């Protein structure tokens, strides 16, 4: 079946602009996660959603970052007033549920470059 | 927070050689996954292995949760095995978010 999809694959934006990144999880997966991969920080967790529960936002680096998940499926990660340090690859993952602990599957990522 | 260390950081092999990659973690975990990140950046699932041993073709993995380590074995390596190998863990009581190790960069040469 189809895997996790993300769009756009690449995004170049000017410092100070807002960006939206989209993730479409595997059909039937109720848990959705956002991570980012940067040269200085490696792979780090940002936020995750499980069904109708409140999202775990503990990894968001600042209040410029937010995410929502509509209808329990597609998710959008929004970065406001982008900074150069936001340049990274943003990865989305999904799993069947988040408890007990199900395997996570990753999308191809969105490469964000802030100029 | 939990520390996830991988060794070696870099590895160069001749095609056909075997290798062992190690992942040490500093706290109790409920889940452990191994990934291969290919040259295009895609994270490919290798193993979901919170404990025990699993094998898939030329790859196998063993996790000893009580001793806080996991090993990934690659046998008869091929050039397509090149890339970065990551282990990632879910901390006990920490929700289902993955904490990644720093990775092992593998290059397999002809």
């Amino acid at each position: 079946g189809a895997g996790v999809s993300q769009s756009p694959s690449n995004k170049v934006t000017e410092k100070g602009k807002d960006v939206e990144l989209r993730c479409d999880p595997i059909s039937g997966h109720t848990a959705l996660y956002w991570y980012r991969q940067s040269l200085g920080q490696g792979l780090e967790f940002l936020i995750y959603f499980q069904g109708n529960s409140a999202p775990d936002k503990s990894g968001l680096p600042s209040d410029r970052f937010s995410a929502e998940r509509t209808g329990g499926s597609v998710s959008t990660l929004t970065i406001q007033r982008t900074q150069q340090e936001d340049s990274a690859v943003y990865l989305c993952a999904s799993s069947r549920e988040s408890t007990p602990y199900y395997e996570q599957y990753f999308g191809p990522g969105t490469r964000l470059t802030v100029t | 927070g939990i520390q996830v260390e991988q060794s070696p950081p870099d590895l160069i092999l001749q095609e056909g050689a075997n290798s062992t990659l190690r992942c040490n973690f500093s706290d109790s975990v409920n889940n452990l996954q191994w990934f291969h990140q290919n040259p295009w950046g895609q994270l490919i699932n290798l193993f979901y292995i919170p404990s025990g041993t699993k094998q898939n073709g030329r790859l196998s993995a063993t996790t000893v949760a009580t001793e806080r380590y996991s090993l990934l074995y690659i046998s008869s390596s091929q050039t397509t095995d090149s890339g970065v190998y990551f282990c990632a863990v879910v901390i006990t009581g920490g929700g289902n978010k993955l904490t990644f190790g720093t990775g092992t960069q593998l290059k397999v040469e002809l």
Side-chain angles (χ1 to χ4, degrees):
Chain A
V4 178
S5 60
Q6 294 186 243
S7 62
S9 54
N10 283 284
K11 177 72 176 178
V12 180
T13 190
E14 292 180 354
K15 178 182 173 181
K17 299 285 179 113
D18 299 350
V19 295
E20 288 187 350
L21 312 179
R22 176 189 167 104
C23 172
D24 207 333
I26 293 171
S27 178
H29 280 193
T30 60
L32 186 148
Y33 314 79
W34 285 97
Y35 297 84
R36 74 176 176 182
Q37 185 172 25
S38 56
L39 283 175
Q41 301 298 323
L43 271 153
E44 55 181 350
F45 164 79
L46 297 177
I47 184 171
Y48 89 86
F49 300 86
Q50 169 56 59
N52 295 321
S53 301
D56 179 339
K57 305 179 182 180
S58 59
L60 294 179
S62 79
D63 58 8
R64 296 186 295 104
F65 288 72
S66 63
E68 63 177 22
R69 189 177 186 193
T70 54
S73 181
V74 172
S75 176
T76 301
L77 178 69
T78 301
I79 309 173
Q80 295 179 310
R81 305 181 302 282
T82 52
Q83 304 295 311
Q84 288 187 330
E85 61 263 29
D86 300 334
S87 295
V89 177
Y90 289 81
L91 295 161
C92 177
S94 71
S95 68
R96 283 174 52 195
E97 292 178 22
S98 65
T99 57
Y101 302 99
Y102 285 96
E103 187 171 4
Q104 296 183 31
Y105 296 86
F106 282 77
T110 294
R111 181 175 298 276
L112 175 66
T113 303
V114 182
T115 61
Chain B
I2 189 170
Q3 303 298 313
V4 183
E5 298 179 349
Q6 291 186 242
S7 60
D10 298 280
L11 185 59
I12 299 175
L13 298 174
Q14 294 295 309
E15 194 172 47
N18 304 327
S19 64
T20 300
L21 281 56
R22 187 175 181 104
C23 172
N24 290 333
F25 40 95
S26 60
D27 213 335
S28 175
V29 302
N30 283 110
N31 181 17
L32 188 145
Q33 291 186 239
W34 281 98
F35 297 92
H36 175 213
Q37 188 167 42
N38 65 21
W40 296 272
Q42 176 72 53
L43 280 170
I44 299 166
N45 289 42
L46 297 178
F47 294 101
Y48 169 75
I49 186 167
S51 63
T53 297
K54 291 186 177 180
Q55 180 156 8
N56 185 2
R58 296 181 295 104
L59 302 181
S60 63
T62 295
T63 296
V64 184
T66 52
E67 297 187 19
R68 299 183 181 171
Y69 73 89
S70 184
L71 302 174
L72 177 69
Y73 305 94
I74 304 174
S75 64
S76 305
S77 59
Q78 301 176 357
T79 56
T80 52
D81 295 332
S82 296
V84 184
Y85 289 80
F86 290 101
C87 71
V89 302
V90 171
I91 307 167
T92 300
N96 202 32
K97 49 202 173 193
L98 289 171
T99 299
F100 282 81
T102 50
T104 292
Q105 174 84 54
L106 173 64
K107 183 176 183 181
V108 181
E109 300 178 332
L110 292 172

